[in-house]
Amino acid sequence: MNRLNMNFPQYKYDIVIQNSFSNISSEIASVWSGDKIIIITDDIVEKLYLDQLSVELHNICPAIYSYAIPNGEDSKCFLVLNQIYDFLLSRHVERTDLIIALGGGVIGDIAGYAAATYLRGISFIQIPTTLLAQIDSSVGGKVAINFHGYKNMIGAFYQPLLVYINTDVLKTLPVREYKCGLAEAMVHSIIADSSLLECICENACNGNDTKDHIQEFIYRNCRIKVDVVLQDEKDKGIRKILNFGHTVGHAIEGLYGYQFKHGECVSIGVVAAFKLSVHFKLINVEKLIYIKTILSDLGLPIKIEGIDWLNVVKRIQFDKKSKSEKVEFILPVDIGEVISYEVDINSTLAEILAD
């Protein structure tokens, strides 16, 4: 077992990395006591892990209810959020009760946002079941839904009581989803830890992910995110470096109706950021070629044929980091180091990205 501590000035919680659910009831009991637990999950994870988790939770709470939403990014919307609210009302959920998000990034985001807003905030716990959610979206307290095709446009900062990572659930994770998690690991390595990139090349690229390695791998990624978030919980300063690859990635996701996975769009966004760095002479082209090679070796896309870059740029205008006719990109100056760089939003930007 590995454990990380999120110690904010006014509250703290742990990120527990384990290879089973065997001690989850004691972990939850140490931070929460109440009458009801509501598990929000999706219709795929429900079949795989809901029963297993419920058995463990009955050790500390007899009243356990679950609500499953359709799997996929399309569910991260007001319609489904309202359905969750209806379910919470139907079960007479009170402020002392607990919401558990059991699933990937979509579940963590929408269940977390429901918890943040229902009764002005009730306790919740993250149990991420995808590699991407385990190393990224479950850590840091960002919760949100999409709005009119724009990613995470409606949201809040709302920290959980606990993040419980069971690495054993990754055995049922589809290969495509696993690769999406590696895209976020690439982000962490490029912004903060070049040695993590070496680890990705030595292990993930060669299929050497043993159980012991994956726990350490998740720990190293979470450590990076924890260190950044503890310095800047509300995304006003250094936390912006975590947006590396996401400015373009989110625009592509929304523009193409979420037909591409988040990690796949982040991969394209990473390449786009390196293209911009090369254009502005912040980094040499050899680093761009190097990163493209690694992404390809991981089975991640480095381009999408026929992409409409002009419309991607138009989408970027609505990015949360845009300011008037400029957008704040996080761009690499070396492997393990990035800077904030303001770029004009115009047709020239589309030409650079399309090159």
Side-chain angles (χ1 to χ4, degrees), residues 99-154:
I99 288 178
I100 289 179
L102 174 68
V106 169
I107 291 298
D109 278 352
I110 194 169
Y113 188 66
T117 51
Y118 182 81
L119 296 179
R120 295 195 177 97
I122 67 173
S123 297
F124 93 110
I125 286 172
Q126 291 268 23
I127 305 180
T129 60
T130 65
L131 180 62
L132 191 152
Q134 290 181 351
I135 69 172
D136 182 56
S137 60
S138 69
V139 178
K142 282 187 176 181
V143 295
I145 59 171
N146 305 329
F147 185 64
H148 290 331
Y150 293 97
K151 182 90 170 183
N152 298 334
M153 188 59 70
I154 312 294

Side-chain angles (χ1 to χ4, degrees), residues 272-291:
F274 271 87
K275 284 182 180 180
L276 289 170
S277 274
V278 170
H279 176 80
F280 294 115
K281 296 181 170 50
L282 301 173
I283 204 167
N284 60 52
V285 71
E286 286 77 18
K287 293 286 175 62
L288 167 60
I289 295 169
Y290 174 58
I291 291 300

Side-chain angles (χ1 to χ4, degrees), residues 317-332:
Q317 288 182 296
F318 292 92
D319 188 274
K320 296 179 288 297
K321 299 169 289 302
S322 65
K323 305 172 185 176
S324 185
E325 297 304 313
K326 294 180 179 292
V327 66
E328 184 179 1
F329 276 92
I330 303 300
L331 299 182

